[in-house]
Amino acid sequence: MRITGITITGFGGVSGEVAIDLDADVVIVVGANGYGKTTICNAISWAISGKSSGAQGPRNLYSKSGTTMVELRTDFNGSDVLITRSLENPDETNPKKLRAPLRVHTTDSAFRGADAEVWLRQHLAGTDTSEDFDALAQSFVDSIYLRQESLREFLTGREDTERFDAVASMVGAGRLREFADELQSHKRAWVRAVNQSDSALEGDREKLEDLSTSLSIIEAEISRANFAEATVRWQIWRDAVAALGIAETEDFTDWELSERNLSRLRGVLNQERSAIEQHEASMLSTQAELRVPLPNTPDDEALAALSDETTRLTEQKETLDTEVQALRTAVEQADSVLRQAGSLREDLANMATILLRHVADNCAACGQAVNQHEYRARLESLANETDDTALRESADLERTRLEAAEQKSSEVSRRLSTVRDRYRALQEQRASALAAREHRRNRLIEVFASLSESGPSEIVDLAEGVDRLDLELERITARKAQVSQALDSGLQFDAVASLDSSKMRRDRIAAESDDLRESLALKEQDIAARQRTNEVATVLLDAIKSDAENFVSDRLTQLKPLLRQFYAAIDPHPTFRSVEIATRQFGGKHRLTPVLRDEDVQISVTDPGETLSTSQANALAVSLFLSFNLGFAPTHVKSLILDDPLQNLDDVHLLGLVDLLRKILPHRQLIVTTHDHAFASLLARKLRPVSADSRTTYVRFTKWDRSGPGVEQWDVPAETSPMKFVPQ
Amino acid sequence: MTNNVVTNDLLIAEITRLLAESSILRVDSVRHPSWPADSMAFEDEYSVIAVWTFTSVEELVAGWGAAQDHVVDLLGENVIATDPKAWDGYLILLAMDGVPEGLVAELSNIRSDTRRVRKLVLTADDLPRRIADPLELAPHVRRTLAPVLDLDLDSTPGRTDPLSSLPTRIAGSLDSTTHLDAVITAYETGDSPLEALHSRLIAKTETGTEPS
């Protein structure tokens, strides 16, 4: 991976947005201290690792947009990949709570958060590792980003154990440690599981012990039992039960004494007693029913007398009805005559009234001479006549006779109805008595039929049937007593029969004990095998843990020639001209110490901070950094970021460093910052492009204010004909 | 094989070989006529390198200034002043004897003097007395010439997976590494390493031999 550009927004010393083209073999960044050079380096570091060194986090304090974002443009084997990190919660005041998820955009995919971290880890790591991204990313950054203060601190300020851990991570021992941790974790879980399994067997062991105890007790009980005598009694009882002649049961005459057989025989007896009790209940119910008195049967004479009286009254009633009918006709005729007479009288009155208005000596109607006075009196009499008394009295007489006849007819009807009702009641009483008697006979037939296998028997007389029922009840009661007695006698075998159950229980417990013992043995064997596995794993784990030092030591030994090349190129010390890194284990911890050696007189020092000047220590630190990066190649990042490496280097070491950088140029992209314009010019001259396809770019930070830095950028001209002596 | 004394010729030959390995070409044809016969000039894309031989350290201390003048003259005659290469000269000063105690500081000053051209000093103290093979000179010469030589990255350890070589490294502390192989394989495939180890041990118990 090679860095081709960066856009910084609201990050570090950039309040607005700054975009810088980094698509060059050499990027020289120059500017006064505080102008934001280090911001570029930190932005690259933050984009990859998500970690920032500032106490307030990565935010720019003067940012107006509130956005904090770094877009890192990169080239992965010819494919453009954009790595972006931005603050999600820029207002958060606690730097530990800031969230800045990673995003990765390739030409055909986009990833965010954990997925982006996985993508980056896989594409930057040398091996397919699942190490924690934060630690791994920091290791990546440490291997490509040279910060003088942190390197010098690595050499002179850190404990030798911390140095070992840092270098171990860089040389790939992190995967070894990850493997050891994983193995350790599985081992702990394994031990826990084995211990739990072993504890779980305690229950089985206790159960096996309990079963053994139970077996001993049962064996003792069985040995004490007298089966011979009990068997004789059993046979007697069994025969007695057989003699009861219980129908429809299996033949139990050969059943041996056992809890099961005892239970089965009891079942037979109980079933028989239950059947007897059912019959008994039924018969008692019938007996109670038969003891209720039958209703009286009316005699035939009373019924005949009532029949005759009915006939007589019926005839009388018919006669009276005829008489009433005749009288009704006579009344209707008298009324009709009376109505006709009334109508004539009214016509005469009307005519008389009219003639009265014309009374004279002659009749106004016929002209006949009349006595006027008499004529008037006669007319007035006619006009005032209102009733025909004789006709009315005749009609009233006929009506009186009719009413008398009707009253007499009604009385006869009432008497007839009473006689008929009584006759019907006596008839019903007689039918009911006959039915009750028949019902009792049928009931008796039914009861006896249920007791007899030959079907219903003939019942001639009810009293005889009742007597037979009483006898049958006595017989059933006696049989019930026999069965109950047999059941009571069976109780004597309970204790003996339970011993038979003990035998069965003994056999069952013995079988269960054998199974449990076998199962327990297999489980204990498995646990023992798993404990052996844990022992072997312990040996392996110890060897693996110890190997971390061997691995790091081997790797450092392999690195030695390269480290010496780099150290010699800068050549910081006139006598301590040989350098190596030694590892050792002390106090159970791995330790790492840089060793400087004067080989001419065989003197070594293990504390460079006390022997070397600041400039010399810096030169050693740079040598270590470069040798780790090129020697171990801990990441696929082909860029090196050197933040102001000039600090405290004198001229000759500075030239040595620049010469070294020029030799690294074919292998790494270089991004170098400096506050020293002379050094920047030296870099531009020494690291100039010497062919058309190489590029050195110069980024100058011209100012810094609250709006951010001023940035200028130009390319160092390529030298297309660099050879001056050798003809090209 | 007998050991030979390191001579000036052997040293020059090794220097020439190492410079050639770094694509630094000899340019004797343009060498200034006033240069001694055993001096040499080389060039690569970035710099011009002169090699100047002295019979002793005393002579070197006395004559390095004149040698530097010759190199500057050579640059001045062939490279224009504004050309970056005009500022990219190296002078390798050789002396085939040891450094007297009294000249140690002087030599250090010469090395530290970065004016005009950079001086790289190689004396007999930097070399073995005798060698069986001229190639034995290489690491000694390379150390002084490091600023101008390409990096030798052939022997760099590079990236490696510590697990792949783990069985070999800890073989001495184990009865057998086959168990470890099973554990590593299980770890890499995401299976339980303890289960894998257990299966391996059970198989060995049942068969009496190491499973393949």
Side-chain angles (χ1 to χ4, degrees):
Chain A
M1 186 272 265
R2 188 168 178 271
I3 299 168
T4 58
I6 191 167
T7 301
I8 303 167
T9 308
F11 177 93
V14 178
S15 55
E17 178 182 301
V18 168
I20 299 173
D21 173 13
L22 301 175
D23 192 9
D25 302 291
V26 181
V27 180
I28 302 162
V29 183
V30 63
N33 289 331
Y35 274 23
K37 303 182 302 296
T38 302
T39 292
I40 297 179
C41 307
N42 289 339
I44 295 172
S45 167
W46 187 65
I48 294 175
S49 71
K51 292 185 179 174
S52 61
S53 54
Q56 78 282 4
R59 291 165 298 190
N60 178 277
L61 297 176
Y62 298 107
S63 173
K64 291 175 182 168
S65 67
T67 301
T68 297
M69 181 167 71
V70 173
E71 292 178 315
L72 191 63
R73 293 179 289 283
T74 62
D75 177 344
F76 277 79
N77 299 322
S79 297
D80 291 335
V81 174
L82 181 64
I83 298 168
T84 308
R85 196 179 285 277
S86 58
L87 270 185
E88 269 189 346
N89 51 344
D91 296 331
E92 174 60 53
T93 54
N94 184 352
K96 291 181 179 175
K97 293 183 179 176
L98 289 172
R99 290 191 310 275
L102 182 71
R103 280 177 286 164
V104 172
H105 290 262
T106 66
T107 50
D108 52 5
S109 300
F111 305 93
R112 191 174 194 280
D115 291 340
E117 289 178 353
V118 169
W119 188 96
L120 200 60
R121 183 173 60 198
Q122 288 175 345
H123 286 77
L124 293 187
T127 52
D128 185 13
T129 175
S130 57
E131 280 182 80
D132 173 62
F133 178 80
D134 288 346
L136 198 63
Q138 190 57 49
S139 174
F140 290 162
V141 169
D142 288 345
S143 70
I144 66 166
Y145 182 14
L146 182 145
R147 283 167 288 198
Q148 284 283 358
E149 66 280 6
S150 57
L151 258 181
R152 210 165 45 246
E153 190 223 338
F154 171 79
L155 274 178
T156 60
R158 286 207 203 173
E159 296 290 329
D160 47 9
T161 52
E162 292 176 315
R163 275 199 289 261
F164 182 91
D165 290 342
V167 172
S169 176
M170 209 170 287
V171 302
R175 184 159 155 75
L176 202 59
R177 188 167 52 231
E178 181 190 352
F179 173 57
D181 289 347
E182 182 83 359
L183 187 57
Q184 177 81 61
S185 169
H186 277 276
K187 195 170 161 307
R188 284 199 194 101
W190 184 269
V191 169
R192 268 200 308 276
V194 170
N195 288 341
Q196 281 174 356
S197 299
D198 194 43
S199 299
L201 291 189
E202 281 306 313
D204 286 352
R205 293 187 185 108
E206 286 172 7
K207 187 176 178 185
L208 188 61
E209 200 171 323
D210 291 346
L211 288 174
S212 297
T213 306
S214 298
L215 262 183
S216 304
I217 294 169
I218 292 170
E219 289 288 2
E221 280 178 7
I222 291 171
S223 65
R224 282 195 301 269
N226 184 353
F227 265 95
E229 183 270 337
T231 302
V232 173
R233 281 191 286 115
W234 162 262
Q235 286 166 352
I236 293 168
W237 180 73
R238 183 192 63 198
D239 293 344
V241 173
L244 287 175
I246 298 170
E248 296 179 1
T249 56
E250 53 188 310
D251 183 8
F252 48 79
T253 53
D254 58 347
W255 287 4
E256 297 297 329
L257 173 56
S258 71
E259 191 172 34
R260 178 170 176 269
N261 287 341
L262 177 61
S263 176
R264 288 166 73 191
L265 269 179
R266 276 183 176 154
V268 168
L269 289 169
N270 277 321
Q271 196 175 357
E272 178 66 9
R273 185 165 66 177
S274 178
I276 291 170
E277 284 172 348
Q278 274 186 339
H279 282 304
E280 186 182 36
S282 173
M283 286 186 169
L284 285 172
S285 168
T286 306
Q287 190 182 49
E289 193 181 322
L290 292 176
R291 283 179 179 160
V292 174
L294 283 169
N296 292 327
T297 307
D299 57 24
D300 293 341
E301 288 178 5
L303 271 171
L306 281 174
S307 177
D308 293 345
E309 180 69 7
T310 301
T311 305
R312 191 184 61 79
L313 286 173
T314 301
E315 289 171 354
Q316 189 178 358
K317 174 78 168 45
E318 286 172 357
T319 303
L320 282 171
D321 286 346
T322 304
E323 186 180 350
V324 165
Q325 191 60 38
L327 285 171
R328 280 178 182 157
T329 305
V331 168
E332 284 173 2
Q333 287 174 348
D335 286 342
S336 176
V337 170
L338 187 59
R339 278 193 303 272
Q340 287 173 1
S343 177
L344 284 174
R345 189 181 59 249
E346 194 173 344
D347 289 345
L348 282 175
N350 289 337
M351 191 178 292
T353 302
I354 294 167
L355 292 177
L356 275 176
R357 287 195 297 262
H358 302 288
V359 176
D361 293 329
N362 296 88
C363 176
C366 62
Q368 183 181 351
V370 289
N371 182 324
Q372 191 176 1
H373 179 70
E374 289 178 357
Y375 181 58
R376 177 176 295 275
R378 177 63 182 159
L379 287 173
E380 285 176 349
S381 173
L382 287 172
N384 295 321
E385 192 174 28
T386 57
D387 194 11
D388 187 342
T389 306
L391 287 174
R392 184 168 301 279
E393 286 176 351
S394 175
D396 288 342
L397 180 61
E398 288 298 329
R399 187 168 285 108
T400 301
R401 289 170 60 193
L402 172 61
E403 287 172 358
E406 284 176 340
Q407 188 176 358
K408 192 173 181 183
S409 174
S410 176
E411 285 173 4
V412 171
S413 291
R414 279 197 301 277
R415 282 177 59 199
L416 179 60
S417 175
T418 303
V419 171
R420 278 177 177 164
D421 289 343
R422 195 174 164 209
Y423 180 69
R424 257 196 310 275
L426 281 178
Q427 276 186 320
E428 286 171 4
Q429 186 180 349
R430 186 167 183 269
S432 174
L434 291 173
R437 189 175 292 273
E438 187 62 23
H439 172 72
R440 287 191 179 187
R441 179 179 287 107
N442 291 337
R443 185 84 178 94
L444 280 170
I445 290 170
E446 184 184 337
V447 169
F448 291 132
S450 68
L451 298 174
S452 169
E453 292 177 355
S454 58
S457 56
E458 187 69 20
I459 301 294
V460 177
D461 182 42
L462 275 179
E464 182 193 353
V466 170
D467 292 342
R468 280 181 61 190
L469 183 64
D470 292 342
L471 287 173
E472 191 61 31
L473 262 172
E474 286 174 10
R475 189 187 67 79
I476 286 174
T477 304
R479 183 166 175 78
K480 190 174 91 171
Q482 286 177 321
V483 172
S484 296
Q485 188 182 3
L487 277 168
D488 292 342
S489 297
L491 292 175
Q492 63 182 305
F493 302 107
D494 280 349
V496 182
S498 70
L499 284 176
D500 177 67
S501 170
S502 296
K503 277 184 180 177
M504 290 171 61
R505 204 162 73 245
R506 176 197 62 191
D507 295 343
R508 184 172 51 74
I509 290 172
E512 191 179 353
S513 293
D514 291 344
D515 290 346
L516 188 57
R517 193 174 292 109
E518 189 179 347
S519 160
L520 195 58
L522 286 174
K523 287 176 183 172
E524 285 175 337
Q525 196 177 342
D526 180 60
I527 287 172
R530 288 179 180 277
Q531 284 169 338
R532 280 198 300 279
T533 298
N534 181 54
E535 289 165 6
V536 174
T538 302
V539 173
L540 287 180
L541 190 59
D542 289 345
I544 293 165
K545 284 180 177 174
S546 298
D547 178 64
E549 185 195 344
N550 296 336
F551 176 69
V552 174
S553 176
D554 286 352
R555 299 285 285 160
L556 291 173
T557 302
Q558 292 164 1
L559 188 70
K560 200 168 164 184
L562 191 65
L563 174 60
R564 286 187 168 179
Q565 275 189 71
F566 290 152
Y567 188 68
I570 304 176
D571 198 18
H573 198 277
T575 57
F576 290 109
R577 301 185 69 187
S578 175
V579 62
E580 62 185 81
I581 303 170
T583 59
R584 65 196 169 98
Q585 193 171 7
F586 181 72
K589 292 185 175 177
H590 300 300
R591 297 162 192 275
L592 183 143
T593 312
V595 179
L596 294 174
R597 205 183 305 280
D598 180 346
E599 291 182 336
D600 291 343
V601 292
Q602 293 300 311
I603 293 176
S604 299
V605 293
T606 57
D607 191 347
E610 292 185 358
T611 307
L612 300 180
S613 68
T614 305
S615 169
Q616 290 165 333
N618 281 348
L620 174 60
V622 172
S623 304
L624 278 174
F625 171 79
L626 295 176
S627 60
F628 284 159
N629 182 281
L630 273 85
F632 295 137
T635 111
H636 285 297
V637 181
K638 298 294 183 187
S639 303
L640 276 180
I641 305 162
L642 292 85
D643 187 21
D644 225 346
L646 172 66
Q647 294 174 26
N648 298 313
L649 285 182
D650 55 27
D651 288 349
V652 68
H653 298 143
L654 195 62
L655 280 175
L657 171 64
V658 177
D659 285 334
L660 189 55
L661 294 180
R662 190 155 75 189
K663 298 304 176 188
I664 288 170
L665 201 47
H667 309 285
R668 293 287 185 272
Q669 176 195 30
L670 296 173
I671 300 171
V672 188
T673 74
T674 179
H675 65 281
D676 187 328
H677 285 270
F679 178 59
S681 298
L682 177 67
L683 286 171
R685 195 170 64 239
K686 285 273 198 179
L687 305 180
R688 62 190 180 275
V690 291
S691 67
D693 58 354
S694 58
R695 181 185 177 209
T696 297
T697 190
Y698 199 98
V699 180
R700 180 164 170 259
F701 282 66
T702 58
K703 69 173 181 67
W704 186 92
D705 56 27
R706 291 187 185 87
S707 64
V711 180
E712 295 175 350
Q713 183 170 7
W714 64 88
D715 285 354
V716 176
E719 196 173 12
T720 51
S721 300
M723 301 302 279
K724 305 303 180 187
F725 298 90
V726 179
Q728 293 184 16
Chain B
M1 187 177 287
T2 56
N3 284 347
N4 299 315
V5 175
V6 176
T7 63
N8 189 53
D9 289 343
L10 276 176
L11 184 59
I12 291 292
E14 186 57 22
I15 289 171
T16 305
R17 190 185 69 78
L18 286 174
L19 291 175
E21 264 187 6
S22 295
S23 303
I24 301 171
L25 306 176
R26 188 165 181 180
V27 291
D28 284 355
S29 59
V30 294
R31 198 182 64 191
H32 198 277
S34 62
W35 285 26
D38 53 359
S39 62
M40 295 181 293
F42 299 81
E43 182 188 25
D44 69 359
E45 291 168 324
Y46 288 100
S47 47
V48 174
I49 299 147
V51 180
W52 218 274
T53 305
F54 298 93
T55 53
S56 66
V57 173
E58 286 85 351
E59 191 182 322
L60 185 154
V61 169
W64 74 271
Q68 179 172 260
D69 291 341
H70 283 298
V71 175
V72 171
D73 289 346
L74 180 69
L75 285 169
E77 289 168 9
N78 294 279
V79 182
I80 59 174
T82 56
D83 197 313
K85 203 169 226 179
W87 300 89
D88 227 344
Y90 290 83
L91 175 57
I92 300 169
L93 301 166
L94 307 177
M96 293 308 295
D97 64 347
V99 183
E101 192 62 33
L103 294 180
V104 169
E106 189 64 32
L107 276 190
S108 180
N109 288 338
I110 294 169
R111 282 195 181 99
S112 302
D113 185 328
T114 58
R115 290 170 299 176
R116 307 179 77 179
V117 295
R118 184 167 180 200
K119 275 72 73 177
L120 307 174
V121 179
L122 181 65
T123 71
D125 288 346
D126 299 315
L127 302 170
R129 299 296 174 200
R130 304 179 77 86
I131 54 172
D133 185 323
L135 288 177
E136 289 178 22
L137 280 176
H140 305 278
V141 176
R142 175 173 278 282
R143 192 164 70 177
T144 300
L145 269 56
V148 295
L149 296 179
D150 284 347
L151 294 174
D152 178 11
L153 297 178
D154 292 343
S155 59
T156 53
R159 222 178 356 253
T160 186
D161 180 5
L163 293 190
S164 62
S165 51
L166 178 62
T168 309
R169 285 198 307 278
I170 65 174
S173 55
L174 299 175
D175 295 336
S176 165
T177 58
T178 57
H179 302 328
L180 182 57
D181 289 338
V183 170
I184 292 173
T185 303
Y187 168 71
E188 288 180 331
T189 54
D191 297 327
S192 164
L194 265 293
E195 286 292 352
L197 177 62
H198 187 60
S199 300
R200 174 72 65 142
L201 292 170
I202 293 292
K204 185 184 176 186
T205 305
E206 288 172 352
T207 62
T209 57
E210 290 284 357
S212 57

